[in-house]
Short mmCIF file of all heavy atoms in Angstrom, two decimals:
data_model
loop_
_atom_site.label_atom_id
_atom_site.label_comp_id
_atom_site.label_asym_id
_atom_site.label_seq_id
_atom_site.Cartn_x
_atom_site.Cartn_y
_atom_site.Cartn_z
N LEU A 1 -4.10 9.60 10.30
CA LEU A 1 -4.62 8.75 11.37
C LEU A 1 -5.15 9.59 12.53
O LEU A 1 -6.18 9.27 13.11
CB LEU A 1 -3.53 7.79 11.84
CG LEU A 1 -3.14 6.70 10.85
CD1 LEU A 1 -1.86 6.00 11.30
CD2 LEU A 1 -4.26 5.70 10.64
N ARG A 2 -4.44 10.65 12.86
CA ARG A 2 -4.91 11.55 13.94
C ARG A 2 -6.24 12.21 13.56
O ARG A 2 -7.13 12.37 14.39
CB ARG A 2 -3.87 12.63 14.23
CG ARG A 2 -2.65 12.14 14.94
CD ARG A 2 -2.94 11.91 16.38
NE ARG A 2 -1.70 11.47 17.06
CZ ARG A 2 -1.70 10.84 18.19
NH1 ARG A 2 -2.83 10.57 18.80
NH2 ARG A 2 -0.58 10.46 18.74
N GLN A 3 -6.36 12.59 12.30
CA GLN A 3 -7.60 13.20 11.83
C GLN A 3 -8.76 12.21 11.91
O GLN A 3 -9.86 12.57 12.34
CB GLN A 3 -7.44 13.70 10.40
CG GLN A 3 -8.65 14.44 9.88
CD GLN A 3 -8.41 14.97 8.47
OE1 GLN A 3 -7.47 14.59 7.79
NE2 GLN A 3 -9.29 15.85 8.03
N ALA A 4 -8.52 10.96 11.54
CA ALA A 4 -9.55 9.94 11.63
C ALA A 4 -9.97 9.72 13.08
O ALA A 4 -11.16 9.58 13.39
CB ALA A 4 -9.06 8.63 11.02
N GLU A 5 -8.99 9.71 13.97
CA GLU A 5 -9.29 9.54 15.39
C GLU A 5 -10.14 10.71 15.91
O GLU A 5 -11.08 10.50 16.66
CB GLU A 5 -7.99 9.44 16.20
CG GLU A 5 -8.20 9.32 17.69
CD GLU A 5 -8.92 8.05 18.11
OE1 GLU A 5 -8.86 7.04 17.38
OE2 GLU A 5 -9.55 8.05 19.18
N ALA A 6 -9.82 11.92 15.48
CA ALA A 6 -10.59 13.09 15.91
C ALA A 6 -12.04 13.01 15.45
O ALA A 6 -12.94 13.51 16.13
CB ALA A 6 -9.93 14.36 15.38
N CYS A 7 -12.26 12.34 14.33
CA CYS A 7 -13.62 12.17 13.80
C CYS A 7 -14.29 10.91 14.33
O CYS A 7 -15.43 10.61 13.98
CB CYS A 7 -13.59 12.11 12.27
SG CYS A 7 -13.05 13.64 11.50
N GLY A 8 -13.57 10.14 15.14
CA GLY A 8 -14.12 8.91 15.70
C GLY A 8 -14.25 7.79 14.69
O GLY A 8 -15.12 6.94 14.82
N GLN A 9 -13.40 7.79 13.69
CA GLN A 9 -13.47 6.79 12.62
C GLN A 9 -12.39 5.74 12.77
O GLN A 9 -11.28 6.03 13.19
CB GLN A 9 -13.30 7.46 11.26
CG GLN A 9 -14.35 8.48 10.93
CD GLN A 9 -14.03 9.20 9.62
OE1 GLN A 9 -12.89 9.29 9.21
NE2 GLN A 9 -15.07 9.71 8.98
N ALA A 10 -12.74 4.53 12.37
CA ALA A 10 -11.74 3.48 12.21
C ALA A 10 -11.12 3.66 10.83
O ALA A 10 -11.68 4.37 9.98
CB ALA A 10 -12.37 2.10 12.33
N VAL A 11 -9.99 3.04 10.60
CA VAL A 11 -9.28 3.22 9.33
C VAL A 11 -8.92 1.85 8.77
O VAL A 11 -8.55 0.95 9.50
CB VAL A 11 -7.98 4.04 9.54
CG1 VAL A 11 -7.16 4.12 8.28
CG2 VAL A 11 -8.31 5.43 10.05
N ASP A 12 -9.07 1.71 7.46
CA ASP A 12 -8.57 0.54 6.74
C ASP A 12 -7.37 0.99 5.93
O ASP A 12 -7.50 1.83 5.04
CB ASP A 12 -9.63 -0.03 5.79
CG ASP A 12 -10.75 -0.74 6.51
OD1 ASP A 12 -10.49 -1.28 7.60
OD2 ASP A 12 -11.88 -0.76 5.99
N LEU A 13 -6.20 0.44 6.25
CA LEU A 13 -4.99 0.78 5.51
C LEU A 13 -4.78 -0.26 4.41
O LEU A 13 -4.88 -1.46 4.66
CB LEU A 13 -3.77 0.79 6.43
CG LEU A 13 -3.74 1.86 7.52
CD1 LEU A 13 -2.48 1.72 8.35
CD2 LEU A 13 -3.82 3.24 6.92
N SER A 14 -4.47 0.22 3.23
CA SER A 14 -4.21 -0.70 2.12
C SER A 14 -2.91 -1.45 2.37
O SER A 14 -2.06 -1.03 3.16
CB SER A 14 -4.14 0.06 0.80
OG SER A 14 -2.94 0.81 0.74
N ASP A 15 -2.75 -2.56 1.67
CA ASP A 15 -1.52 -3.33 1.79
C ASP A 15 -0.32 -2.50 1.38
O ASP A 15 0.77 -2.66 1.94
CB ASP A 15 -1.61 -4.59 0.92
CG ASP A 15 -2.64 -5.58 1.44
OD1 ASP A 15 -2.97 -5.52 2.65
OD2 ASP A 15 -3.13 -6.40 0.65
N ASP A 16 -0.50 -1.61 0.41
CA ASP A 16 0.61 -0.74 -0.03
C ASP A 16 1.07 0.18 1.10
O ASP A 16 2.27 0.39 1.28
CB ASP A 16 0.21 0.09 -1.24
CG ASP A 16 0.03 -0.74 -2.49
OD1 ASP A 16 0.64 -1.84 -2.58
OD2 ASP A 16 -0.71 -0.30 -3.40
N ILE A 17 0.13 0.73 1.85
CA ILE A 17 0.49 1.62 2.95
C ILE A 17 1.18 0.84 4.06
O ILE A 17 2.17 1.30 4.63
CB ILE A 17 -0.75 2.36 3.50
CG1 ILE A 17 -1.35 3.27 2.44
CG2 ILE A 17 -0.41 3.14 4.76
CD1 ILE A 17 -0.47 4.41 2.01
N VAL A 18 0.69 -0.36 4.35
CA VAL A 18 1.31 -1.20 5.37
C VAL A 18 2.75 -1.54 4.96
O VAL A 18 3.67 -1.45 5.77
CB VAL A 18 0.48 -2.48 5.62
CG1 VAL A 18 1.21 -3.43 6.55
CG2 VAL A 18 -0.89 -2.11 6.19
N ARG A 19 2.95 -1.90 3.68
CA ARG A 19 4.30 -2.19 3.19
C ARG A 19 5.19 -0.95 3.29
O ARG A 19 6.37 -1.04 3.63
CB ARG A 19 4.25 -2.69 1.74
CG ARG A 19 4.02 -4.17 1.62
CD ARG A 19 4.26 -4.66 0.20
NE ARG A 19 3.36 -4.08 -0.77
CZ ARG A 19 2.15 -4.57 -1.07
NH1 ARG A 19 1.72 -5.66 -0.47
NH2 ARG A 19 1.39 -3.99 -1.96
N PHE A 20 4.62 0.22 2.98
CA PHE A 20 5.38 1.45 3.04
C PHE A 20 5.84 1.74 4.48
O PHE A 20 6.99 2.12 4.71
CB PHE A 20 4.54 2.62 2.51
CG PHE A 20 5.24 3.94 2.63
CD1 PHE A 20 6.23 4.29 1.72
CD2 PHE A 20 4.93 4.82 3.64
CE1 PHE A 20 6.90 5.49 1.83
CE2 PHE A 20 5.59 6.03 3.76
CZ PHE A 20 6.57 6.36 2.86
N ILE A 21 4.94 1.54 5.45
CA ILE A 21 5.30 1.76 6.85
C ILE A 21 6.43 0.82 7.25
O ILE A 21 7.40 1.23 7.89
CB ILE A 21 4.06 1.59 7.76
CG1 ILE A 21 3.07 2.74 7.51
CG2 ILE A 21 4.47 1.53 9.23
CD1 ILE A 21 1.73 2.55 8.18
N ARG A 22 6.34 -0.45 6.83
CA ARG A 22 7.41 -1.41 7.14
C ARG A 22 8.71 -0.99 6.47
O ARG A 22 9.79 -1.13 7.06
CB ARG A 22 6.99 -2.80 6.69
CG ARG A 22 5.94 -3.41 7.57
CD ARG A 22 5.61 -4.82 7.15
NE ARG A 22 4.56 -5.35 8.02
CZ ARG A 22 3.63 -6.17 7.61
NH1 ARG A 22 3.61 -6.60 6.36
NH2 ARG A 22 2.72 -6.61 8.46
N GLN A 23 8.63 -0.49 5.24
CA GLN A 23 9.82 -0.04 4.53
C GLN A 23 10.48 1.11 5.29
O GLN A 23 11.70 1.15 5.45
CB GLN A 23 9.46 0.40 3.11
CG GLN A 23 10.63 0.98 2.35
CD GLN A 23 10.21 1.63 1.04
OE1 GLN A 23 9.03 1.71 0.70
NE2 GLN A 23 11.17 2.11 0.29
N CYS A 24 9.68 2.05 5.74
CA CYS A 24 10.22 3.19 6.48
C CYS A 24 10.90 2.74 7.76
O CYS A 24 12.00 3.19 8.08
CB CYS A 24 9.10 4.18 6.82
SG CYS A 24 8.47 5.09 5.43
N ARG A 25 10.26 1.85 8.48
CA ARG A 25 10.84 1.35 9.72
C ARG A 25 12.13 0.58 9.45
O ARG A 25 13.10 0.70 10.21
CB ARG A 25 9.84 0.49 10.46
CG ARG A 25 8.73 1.30 11.08
CD ARG A 25 7.72 0.46 11.78
NE ARG A 25 6.81 1.29 12.56
CZ ARG A 25 5.71 0.84 13.13
NH1 ARG A 25 5.39 -0.44 13.03
NH2 ARG A 25 4.95 1.65 13.81
N GLY A 26 12.16 -0.19 8.38
CA GLY A 26 13.37 -0.92 8.02
C GLY A 26 14.50 0.01 7.65
O GLY A 26 15.65 -0.19 8.06
N ALA A 27 14.18 1.04 6.87
CA ALA A 27 15.20 2.01 6.48
C ALA A 27 15.73 2.76 7.70
O ALA A 27 16.93 3.01 7.82
CB ALA A 27 14.63 2.99 5.46
N LEU A 28 14.85 3.09 8.61
CA LEU A 28 15.26 3.79 9.83
C LEU A 28 16.17 2.90 10.67
O LEU A 28 17.19 3.37 11.19
CB LEU A 28 14.04 4.21 10.64
CG LEU A 28 14.29 5.03 11.87
CD1 LEU A 28 15.02 6.32 11.52
CD2 LEU A 28 12.99 5.35 12.58
N ALA A 29 15.84 1.64 10.78
CA ALA A 29 16.69 0.71 11.53
C ALA A 29 18.07 0.57 10.88
O ALA A 29 19.08 0.46 11.57
CB ALA A 29 16.01 -0.65 11.64
N THR A 30 18.11 0.63 9.56
CA THR A 30 19.37 0.49 8.83
C THR A 30 20.31 1.64 9.14
O THR A 30 21.53 1.44 9.26
CB THR A 30 19.10 0.43 7.31
OG1 THR A 30 18.28 -0.70 7.04
CG2 THR A 30 20.37 0.32 6.53
N VAL A 31 19.78 2.85 9.28
CA VAL A 31 20.64 4.01 9.53
C VAL A 31 20.86 4.25 11.02
O VAL A 31 21.48 5.22 11.41
CB VAL A 31 20.10 5.29 8.85
CG1 VAL A 31 20.11 5.14 7.37
CG2 VAL A 31 18.73 5.67 9.39
N GLY A 32 20.32 3.38 11.85
CA GLY A 32 20.59 3.47 13.27
C GLY A 32 19.56 4.20 14.09
O GLY A 32 19.82 4.59 15.21
N GLY A 33 18.38 4.39 13.55
CA GLY A 33 17.36 5.11 14.30
C GLY A 33 16.44 4.22 15.13
O GLY A 33 15.54 4.70 15.78
N ALA A 34 16.66 2.91 15.10
CA ALA A 34 15.83 2.01 15.88
C ALA A 34 16.40 1.85 17.27
O ALA A 34 17.60 1.98 17.47
CB ALA A 34 15.74 0.65 15.18
N PRO A 35 15.54 1.57 18.24
CA PRO A 35 16.06 1.37 19.60
C PRO A 35 16.92 0.11 19.68
O PRO A 35 16.71 -0.84 18.92
CB PRO A 35 14.79 1.21 20.43
CG PRO A 35 13.72 0.82 19.48
CD PRO A 35 14.11 1.41 18.15
N ALA A 36 17.87 0.13 20.57
CA ALA A 36 18.75 -1.03 20.74
C ALA A 36 17.97 -2.20 21.32
O ALA A 36 17.03 -2.01 22.10
CB ALA A 36 19.91 -0.67 21.66
N GLU A 37 18.35 -3.39 20.90
CA GLU A 37 17.72 -4.59 21.44
C GLU A 37 18.69 -5.29 22.36
O GLU A 37 19.88 -5.36 22.09
CB GLU A 37 17.32 -5.53 20.30
CG GLU A 37 16.23 -4.95 19.41
CD GLU A 37 15.80 -5.91 18.34
OE1 GLU A 37 16.07 -7.12 18.47
OE2 GLU A 37 15.18 -5.47 17.38
#
C-alpha cells in the first residue's frame, strides 16, 4: 500500500485480502493486542 501511494495509485483490494485483514485484526484482539474499549 505504501508503494502504491508513492506511485500515486489507488488500490483495489480483493475480497480475500479484506477478509485476511479482518482475520488478522480479530486474532490480534483475541490475544490482547487491541486497544481497550
Side-chain angles (χ1 to χ4, degrees):
L1 291 168
R2 288 283 182 200
Q3 184 178 14
E5 178 64 25
C7 295
Q9 299 174 335
V11 174
D12 287 331
L13 294 179
S14 72
D15 292 337
D16 291 335
I17 296 295
V18 173
R19 274 192 297 273
F20 177 77
I21 291 170
R22 287 183 181 145
Q23 175 190 3
C24 289
R25 287 179 170 170
L28 184 59
T30 300
V31 296
E37 294 183 18

